[in-house]
């Protein structure tokens, strides 16, 4: 994973707070729930989503690296970037991921 868990947690908290500030979150607090418990659960859900997305991204990148390793010659520079992007989009499409 390219980001530490601490950074992902801070992103999740900030995203939650920005969405809440803009009244873009729809939720109901449980009756009698302690203050902050609902927020923590929502931040955790956002955190889990981001971590899962980063895990999928890493898996895609590893698959693309395997494909590029099968080429008979060494691919460098811009050509490698173009082929990497092309194969990544193709693999993601086959898996039903949205890029």
């Amino acid at each position: 994973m390219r980001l530490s868990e601490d950074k992902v947690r801070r992103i999740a908290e900030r995203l939650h707070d920005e969405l809440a500030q803009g009244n873009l979150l729809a939720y109901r607090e449980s009756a009698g729930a302690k203050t902050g418990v609902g927020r923590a659960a929502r931040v955790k859900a956002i955190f889990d989503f981001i971590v899962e997305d980063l895990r999928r991204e890493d898996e895609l990148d590893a698959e693309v690296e395997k494909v590029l390793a099968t080429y008979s010659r060494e691919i460098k520079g811009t050509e490698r970037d173009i082929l990497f992007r092309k194969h990544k989009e193709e693999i993601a499409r086959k898996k039903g991921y949205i890029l």
Side-chain angles (χ1 to χ4, degrees), residues 44-60:
K44 174 79 168 101
I46 294 169
F47 172 85
D48 291 343
F49 182 86
I50 293 170
V51 167
E52 177 62 20
D53 189 62
L54 290 171
R55 185 192 61 76
R56 285 182 179 181
E57 189 84 23
D58 289 344
E59 286 177 4
L60 280 174

Side-chain angles (χ1 to χ4, degrees), residues 21 31 37 41 46 57 67 79 90-92:
Q21 187 177 23
V37 171
I46 294 169
E57 189 84 23
V67 170
E79 181 183 18
E90 181 181 325
I91 292 169

Side-chain angles (χ1 to χ4, degrees), residues 9 27 39 55-56 60 71 77 79 83 85 92 94:
R9 187 168 287 103
Y27 60 89
R39 179 188 181 274
R55 185 192 61 76
R56 285 182 179 181
L60 280 174
Y71 279 62
E79 181 183 18
L83 287 171
R85 194 171 336 118
K94 285 179 183 177

Side-chain angles (χ1 to χ4, degrees), residues 27-43:
Y27 60 89
R28 291 185 186 153
E29 293 289 349
S30 301
K34 292 182 180 179
T35 303
V37 171
R39 179 188 181 274
R42 290 186 299 274
V43 168

